[in-house]
Amino acid sequence: MNLERKDIRALSKEELQLFFLNNNDKAYRGQQVYEWLWTKGAHSFDDMTNLSKATRAMLEANFVINHIKVDTMQRSEDGTVKNAVRLHDGLVVESVLIPTETRTTACVSSQVGCSLDCNFCATARLKRMRNLEPAEIYDQVLAIDKESRLYYNHPLSNIVFMGMGEPLMNYNNVLKAIEMITSPEGLGMSPKRIMVSTSGIPKMIKKLADDEVKFKLAVSLHSAIDETRARIMPFSANFPLKELRESLEYWYRKTKSKVSYEYVVWKGINDDKASIDALVKFCKYVPCKVNLIEYNPIDDGEFQQASEEAIAAYIKGLQAIGVVVKVRRSRGKDIDAACGQLANKEA
Ligand code: SAH
């Protein structure tokens, strides 16, 4: 076997067409193969039934299709589904299907593990092994779309990049995956239904704005006070809130798209008046929404969910300045599928 065979999905449509031209065939074969790979999600060259046997053998000799394999699928009592996804090199990531009354959302991973060090997140305890390829991200979405149709009788309606990893540290591949997800040759999904969540890397947020992306942006804020944020998300010491704020102002100026702040309120960490005032102030800079996420305990109790009163005080403060705020109850907790719980426990 030739170990050097390249993953065929690393090729663009033009490169595939060129490959056929260079092999004394027609460019439109490239188009056909491209459709098999992306629109139809073929897992093997033998599936490509409108190609001759010789053409399929030629592809087989030159390329591989590094598709993912759903190793285990767990279903929560609340309908949430978690897939442990095995990659071609044996590594594992997780993705989640979150159903509501009216829609289904896929929560996908962008890296194997994570290089950031958020103290409250289980994924942070896994070393970052590598970035996911565009096709590996795309395949997670396809797998969840299939499950959505199977269990909920409708296609997947939304995607959030809130699984394992920091999407903006795998920038090019995440953008390529989204390009395929939104392309008519891929899933044809509207970018408005896709949200990329970042822990807040100012330079890359500006790059998103410059690249005129059409999807939505979420920022895991958790505190609008530098010292507190650096304590719970140590890497953020390199990115002061002032820089983050400037990048978000830049984002909004260019895209006119509101930013969503993800925010967990913890006892003794950010449940005081100064923290609330700081968030309210921060929310005035850029048009935004706030999602108050319920904490999913992952450890010995260093972090604990704040009281209902503290949450209510946040809501009151934010609503007073007209910011839409939602409380997000966690889903899929019983199968470790909730925010911050993805840690390949089953792998
Ligand atoms: N690295 C990106 C993508 C991960 S999104 C980012 O940080 O945005 C995962 C979301 O879950 C983030 O908002 C993260 O802050 C939040 N989260 C992490 N651990 C959590 C936990 N234990 N309970 C609730 N939310 C958590």
Side-chain angles (χ1 to χ4, degrees):
M1 198 174 75
N2 174 8
L3 291 174
E4 298 303 312
R5 284 184 305 165
K6 191 171 176 180
D7 183 1
I8 191 165
R9 287 187 299 175
L11 268 60
S12 66
K13 190 163 63 183
E14 293 67 34
E15 286 168 333
L16 265 178
Q17 290 169 335
L18 198 63
F19 172 81
F20 281 100
L21 285 175
N22 289 339
N23 283 280
N24 306 318
D25 206 330
K26 306 274 186 312
Y28 79 85
R29 288 262 179 262
Q31 173 73 31
Q32 282 178 322
V33 171
Y34 195 75
E35 278 169 24
W36 275 114
L37 292 171
W38 296 101
T39 321
K40 299 177 192 160
H43 277 192
S44 92
F45 295 114
D46 279 338
D47 292 346
M48 304 182 179
T49 44
N50 58 356
L51 303 184
S52 71
K53 268 206 165 141
T55 305
R56 283 185 254 162
M58 196 259 290
L59 287 173
E60 186 81 49
N62 285 280
F63 300 107
V64 286
I65 306 175
N66 282 338
H67 59 83
I68 62 161
K69 183 171 155 282
V70 177
D71 246 10
T72 56
M73 201 264 307
Q74 289 172 277
R75 267 189 102 178
S76 154
E77 340 181 293
D78 68 17
T80 302
V81 175
K82 181 170 85 170
N83 292 334
V85 167
R86 187 148 318 254
L87 309 171
H88 69 94
D89 55 2
L91 293 172
V92 175
V93 292
E94 293 176 334
S95 26
V96 182
L97 181 167
I98 308 148
T100 63
E101 298 269 301
T102 51
R103 61 188 196 186
T104 46
T105 300
C107 175
V108 298
S109 295
S110 55
Q111 298 181 311
V112 187
C114 189
S115 51
L116 301 181
D117 50 9
C118 305
N119 292 335
F120 46 83
C121 181
T123 308
R125 299 182 182 174
L126 305 174
K127 213 171 80 197
R128 189 203 77 103
M129 305 295 286
R130 69 171 172 88
N131 285 337
L132 292 188
E133 295 297 326
E136 291 171 329
I137 297 171
Y138 186 82
D139 282 355
Q140 292 177 65
V141 175
L142 274 192
I144 292 195
D145 180 54
K146 215 160 128 192
E147 288 166 351
S148 175
R149 290 168 197 267
L150 182 66
Y151 297 120
Y152 298 100
N153 296 316
H154 56 80
L156 178 66
S157 38
N158 294 71
I159 302 173
V160 293
F161 281 76
M162 296 191 184
M164 295 174 159
E166 168 52 50
L168 299 193
M169 291 179 92
N170 185 15
Y171 189 94
N172 291 339
N173 291 354
V174 165
L175 260 65
K176 265 194 210 153
I178 293 177
E179 212 178 289
M180 282 318 301
I181 292 165
T182 52
S183 152
E185 286 176 318
L187 287 170
M189 214 159 151
S190 162
K192 298 265 168 306
R193 294 173 173 275
I194 301 175
M195 180 176 266
V196 169
S197 180
T198 175
S199 55
I201 301 165
K203 200 172 81 188
M204 301 316 280
I205 292 172
K206 282 190 173 166
K207 184 160 167 52
L208 284 176
D210 286 336
D211 288 343
E212 296 177 8
V213 300
K214 298 284 180 284
F215 49 78
K216 295 186 177 164
L217 179 67
V219 173
S220 301
L221 193 59
H222 303 308
S223 174
I225 299 174
D226 275 316
E227 297 72 46
T228 309
R229 199 159 186 265
R231 185 150 62 90
I232 57 179
M233 305 164 80
F235 73 90
S236 76
N238 300 317
F239 310 115
L241 285 158
K242 185 167 170 291
E243 261 179 54
L244 179 59
R245 166 192 154 187
E246 283 164 4
S247 71
L248 294 170
E249 286 168 343
Y250 186 83
W251 158 270
Y252 187 77
R253 264 202 313 279
K254 288 225 160 178
T255 65
K256 294 287 171 292
S257 167
K258 276 190 184 181
V259 178
S260 296
Y261 295 129
E262 309 294 304
Y263 202 102
V264 180
V265 188
W266 291 284
K267 202 176 274 179
I269 291 176
N270 57 359
D271 60 349
D272 56 324
K273 185 163 181 314
S275 293
I276 299 174
D277 291 347
L279 179 63
V280 169
K281 187 168 170 218
F282 196 83
C283 285
K284 289 180 185 164
Y285 298 131
V286 182
C288 63
K289 301 175 194 174
V290 172
N291 290 319
L292 295 176
I293 315 176
E294 188 181 343
Y295 177 56
N296 302 304
I298 57 155
D299 57 16
D300 42 22
E302 183 194 347
F303 289 91
Q304 283 170 26
Q305 170 77 28
S307 65
E308 288 299 323
E309 290 73 46
I311 308 276
Y314 264 102
I315 296 174
K316 196 167 157 223
L318 291 166
Q319 285 179 341
I321 60 159
V323 170
V324 173
V325 42
K326 293 214 168 94
V327 177
R328 302 264 181 222
R329 301 286 167 205
S330 72
R331 306 284 308 270
K333 235 185 203 170
D334 53 326
I335 55 166
D336 283 326
C339 293
Q341 289 189 317
L342 301 185
N344 289 346
K345 274 198 195 163
E346 300 289 312

